[in-house]
Amino acid sequence: MEADINTSTQANTRAATGAVADPLRIAGRDYRSRLIIGSGKYRDFAENRAALEASGAEILTVAIRRVNLGQHSGEPSLLEVISPDKYTILPNTAGCYSADDAVRTCKMARELLDGHKLVKLEVLGDQKTLFPNVTETLKAARTLVADGFDVMVYTSDDPLVARELEEIGCVSVMPLGAPIGSGLGIRNPYNIRMILENATTPIIVDAGVGTASDASIAMELGCAGVLMNTAIAEAENPVLMAAAMNKAVAAGREAFLAGRMPRRLYASASSPTSGTFFPPL
Amino acid sequence: MELIVNGEPRSLPAPLSVAGLLGELGMTGRRIALELNGEILPRSEFGQTMLSGGDTLEIVQAIGGG
């Protein structure tokens, strides 16, 4: 099943070498897929699981919230439908507006997931933009790294902030491409490029992707991966969009590795200009 | 005794352990994490930890999110 989901190139290379070709390495662990997806906004768990399978993603973000103490307490929970044994669960701190709340959420997540250290830190600044509160993000990152967490951090596309988060010891820096849930694509590719030039950790675009080409653009810039939720969950056909994103991320990665041709203002003929059987222009 | 569970007041007969409370709430065996008065309480201590009047508990789980 897994091989069916991956691109044939990846599958062939893996079969030949027995190792993961061109892995995404985060906190010492290798992943075949460079796509990380969220688990919010789906119609139900079944749709979420089908999208996850179609996406090829191996890392799934989840939110930490109060249990419902009402009459629905017998319903299955997300982690009973999508097993932490099969996927890397990435708990987020969505909804936190202070470093203290984010740190508390991560500690709850660690307990919930039996000592799991990998977290997605996001400390938000305001409800309208969901832009990060960078000051609180830096503060939370320092506390979490000191406490032994492996921190993947959502942040602005500011290269200096990205560098500081790396210096603190975050295992991945995840600048936004556009506001969370906006689907506006990579609004400032030049900032992402500046972040990439100085990067010492995997840079993952988190937020802003709207459709497959946006994901490819992020990967063609040289990003290590893309994290998305709404672009898949709010597509008219989420499972089909998940499959599209799987290919878009893989295609963008291959294009980046292949190295694109230079841009030219004028044309460059692909067929020989000599040897024609009619007079040249 | 009066407890605050996930922000809501609840009246429960003492003595009651954390494991006992989870049983009352129909949550035995569920994958949850729990804070007692602002501190994480490891799952291994649910059985031996007795609740007192005025205790505040937060019980959380993983749900869909981005």
Side-chain angles (χ1 to χ4, degrees):
Chain A
M1 189 66 196
E2 274 182 77
D4 295 340
I5 293 165
N6 284 296
T7 65
S8 57
T9 313
Q10 283 176 318
N12 291 343
T13 313
R14 197 161 65 249
T17 62
V20 177
D22 185 33
L24 170 62
R25 174 162 288 190
I26 294 173
R29 187 162 166 196
D30 286 351
Y31 298 92
R32 282 185 300 274
S33 173
R34 292 175 175 273
L35 174 59
I36 300 173
I37 75 168
S39 56
K41 299 181 177 173
Y42 287 97
R43 208 167 295 138
D44 50 36
F45 290 149
E47 184 183 69
N48 191 346
R49 185 166 58 187
L52 179 57
E53 285 175 9
S55 75
E58 295 157 284
I59 305 176
L60 180 76
T61 68
V62 301
I64 305 298
R65 290 291 181 272
R66 282 175 165 168
V67 295
N68 184 352
L69 296 174
Q71 61 274 49
H72 303 298
S73 58
E75 286 179 1
S77 69
L78 177 65
L79 297 184
E80 287 161 10
V81 178
I82 294 168
S83 169
D85 299 330
K86 192 172 171 196
Y87 295 97
T88 295
I89 302 298
L90 181 59
N92 70 27
T93 63
C96 292
Y97 288 83
S98 71
D100 286 348
D101 286 346
V103 169
R104 202 175 151 202
T105 301
C106 289
K107 288 181 176 172
M108 285 283 230
R110 181 167 61 185
E111 177 62 21
L112 184 71
L113 295 165
D114 308 316
H116 173 97
K117 294 192 300 175
L118 190 67
V119 291
K120 174 187 160 180
L121 172 64
E122 52 181 306
V123 186
L124 305 172
D126 113 342
Q127 290 182 317
K128 191 170 181 182
T129 63
L130 299 179
F131 278 147
N133 179 328
V134 169
T135 312
E136 290 294 299
T137 301
L138 289 164
K139 191 175 153 196
R142 283 190 197 97
T143 304
L144 290 168
V145 169
D147 197 9
F149 283 96
D150 292 328
V151 180
M152 301 177 72
V153 56
Y154 163 72
T155 186
S156 59
D157 60 6
D158 180 331
L160 303 183
V161 171
R163 189 166 63 194
E164 193 166 348
L165 288 164
E166 288 185 333
E167 285 166 0
I168 287 169
C170 294
V171 298
S172 173
V173 173
M174 306 198 292
L176 54 83
I180 293 172
S182 69
L184 291 172
I186 314 296
R187 299 322 304 154
N188 196 339
Y190 301 101
N191 272 32
I192 301 289
R193 271 177 61 185
M194 280 188 233
I195 292 172
L196 287 164
E197 265 189 27
N198 298 302
T200 56
T201 65
I203 303 299
I204 293 174
V205 162
D206 176 4
V209 165
T211 190
S213 53
D214 296 332
S216 292
I217 287 168
M219 297 308 295
E220 287 171 12
L221 286 168
C223 290
V226 181
L227 193 162
M228 65 181 74
N229 191 145
T230 309
I232 294 174
E234 277 191 4
E236 283 185 32
N237 183 336
V239 178
L240 189 56
M241 185 59 87
M245 291 300 185
N246 187 356
K247 298 181 186 99
V249 168
R253 177 66 182 175
E254 288 181 6
F256 169 72
L257 293 175
R260 61 152 298 144
M261 61 160 282
R263 289 181 172 84
R264 300 184 183 92
L265 184 57
Y266 291 103
S268 167
S270 297
S271 303
T273 48
S274 60
T276 55
F277 58 89
F278 42 80
L281 188 67
Chain B
M1 70 184 156
E2 300 297 318
L3 305 172
I4 305 286
V5 184
N6 284 2
E8 290 174 17
R10 285 192 175 244
S11 194
L12 287 149
L16 185 68
S17 67
V18 171
L21 172 68
L22 293 173
E24 291 280 335
L25 297 172
M27 303 193 54
T28 302
R30 296 280 299 277
R31 187 186 276 272
I32 55 119
L34 188 148
E35 267 184 4
L36 175 58
N37 301 323
E39 296 292 327
I40 298 271
L41 186 71
R43 215 169 301 163
S44 57
E45 295 177 18
F46 287 178
Q48 72 215 45
T49 304
M50 300 308 292
L51 294 167
S52 313
D55 279 348
T56 298
L57 295 103
E58 288 292 338
I59 310 172
V60 300
Q61 64 179 345
I63 65 157

